[in-house]
Amino acid sequence: MDTRRLGLLLALSRLGSMRAVADEHGLTTSTVSAQIAALARDTGTQLIEPEGRRVRLTPAGRRLADHAVSILAAVDAARLDLDPDAEPAGTVRVGGFATGIRVSLLPIIGGLTARHPGVDVVISEYEPVEAFALLTGDDLDLALTYDYNLAPASPGPSMEVTPLWSIGWGLGVPAGTPPDTGLTAFAKSTWIVNSRNTADETAVRTLASLAGFTPRIAHQIDSLDLVEDLIVAGFGVGLLPLGRPTGPGVSVLALRDPDVTLTAYAVTRRRRSDWSPLRAVLDRMRQASTDRRHPQWPRPEAGPAR
C-alpha cells in the first residue's frame, strides 16, 4: 500500500474535493483521481463514490482514512528515528568483552545520556566470536571486540570495524621470576588460555612454535583475576596485559620478537553506523580513545564478601 496514496486519501477526507487536494499537493486533478483509483485497486475496495459533481468517501474509504492517520504518523516517526541529523533517540544494544566495556563504554555513558536523554544503552558481556554472531543476526547494534597481532580476527565484509585502542600483553608468571627469563624456560609449564575465544590460544601456540616447543594447554579461564589466582597457586602461566596492575604473587614478563599486542574494536553492521543513537555512542567512544597505545586499565577492588 503506497503511503503517498494514503496521504491523498486522507487529504480528500479533510478537504472534500479532488481539486482542493490537487491544489494542496501541486498535482493535477486527474493525477489525484488516478492515485485514489490505484489505492482502491490495492485494497480491493471502493473508496469513493459520486456526490453530485463532487465525490465523497465510502464507509470503507472513511475507515481507511482513519487508519491512514496512524499509519502516516508511524512512517513519519520511523523517518525521524532513522534521520542521521535528528536528535538521537532509541535503544542501542551493546555486547562485548568485559575490559572493552569498562574502558570504552562505561566512561562515556553518563555524558551521553545527559546530552541525549532519549538514548538508552543495554549492555551484555560476550567474547568476540559470540558478539560477531549476534551482530550478524541483528541481535546487537554494536560489538566491542578484540584480536591479537598474532591472531587477527576476520569480521567479514558485512561489518564496519573501528579500532579503539591497543595495549601490549606479556606472560603472567609467579612473582620473583627474573624479568629476562626467556620463553623456552616455560616449555614444560602448563598454559592457561581463554575458555570462550580462541585468539589467545592461537597467540600462545604461535609464540611457542617460534620458540621451538609445543605448549601444554590445560586450563581455560575467562577472568583475568582467576588467571592470576591459578598462576599464584602454581597451576601454570598465561598471557596478561602489561598495563594492568597485578595482584600479589604475579609478575608480567614483556615479550619480544615477536611482541603481543591486543587491539580493541567497535564493530557495527555495514551502513548501520549512521543511525543517530548508534552514531552518538560511536562518536563519544572515538573521542575517548585519544591514547590508543595505553588506555587506562581499570582494575576493580575486591568488595565485601556476600
Side-chain angles (χ1 to χ4, degrees), residues 13 24 29 38 83-84 87 107 129 134 137 148 151 157 161 164 171 174 177 194 196 199 205 209 217 266 287-288 296:
S13 72
E24 182 172 273
T29 304
D83 181 357
E87 169 62 23
V129 65
L134 291 166
Y148 295 99
V161 180
L164 294 175
L171 183 62
T177 303
N194 191 291
R196 291 158 54 205
R205 292 190 182 280
S209 177
I217 295 173
Q287 292 167 8
Q296 183 177 2

Side-chain angles (χ1 to χ4, degrees), residues 218-281:
H219 309 297
Q220 296 181 323
I221 304 295
D222 287 343
S223 164
L224 295 180
D225 290 344
L226 186 53
V227 170
E228 288 189 21
D229 291 343
L230 265 63
I231 292 170
V232 171
F235 282 93
V237 296
L239 296 178
L240 288 172
L242 291 168
R244 173 180 178 272
T246 60
V250 177
S251 296
V252 182
L253 306 181
L255 297 169
R256 297 285 186 270
D257 301 322
D259 61 358
V260 178
T261 301
L262 177 147
T263 300
Y265 305 92
V267 187
T268 64
R269 294 273 297 275
R270 190 165 295 280
R271 293 184 294 275
R272 296 291 181 88
S273 58
D274 282 340
W275 180 45
S276 57
L278 178 55
R279 189 179 64 184
V281 175

Side-chain angles (χ1 to χ4, degrees), residues 131-143 159 267-269:
F132 284 137
L134 291 166
L135 202 59
T136 300
D138 206 22
D139 294 311
L140 286 178
D141 301 305
L142 171 63
M159 305 294 176
V267 187
T268 64
R269 294 273 297 275

Side-chain angles (χ1 to χ4, degrees), residues 18 35 60 96 101 122 125-126 168 172 210 214-215 242 254 274 286 291 305:
M18 294 283 192
Q35 291 298 307
I101 291 170
V122 175
E125 183 185 353
Y126 297 110
L210 292 171
T214 300
L242 291 168
D274 282 340
R286 292 188 191 105
D291 185 354

Side-chain angles (χ1 to χ4, degrees), residues 44-69:
T45 305
Q46 183 180 351
L47 301 175
I48 59 175
E49 59 188 4
E51 186 181 40
R53 299 178 63 181
R54 298 162 64 91
V55 295
R56 66 181 180 186
L57 270 59
T58 64
R62 289 194 297 272
R63 290 198 300 273
L64 183 56
D66 289 341
H67 284 299
V69 175

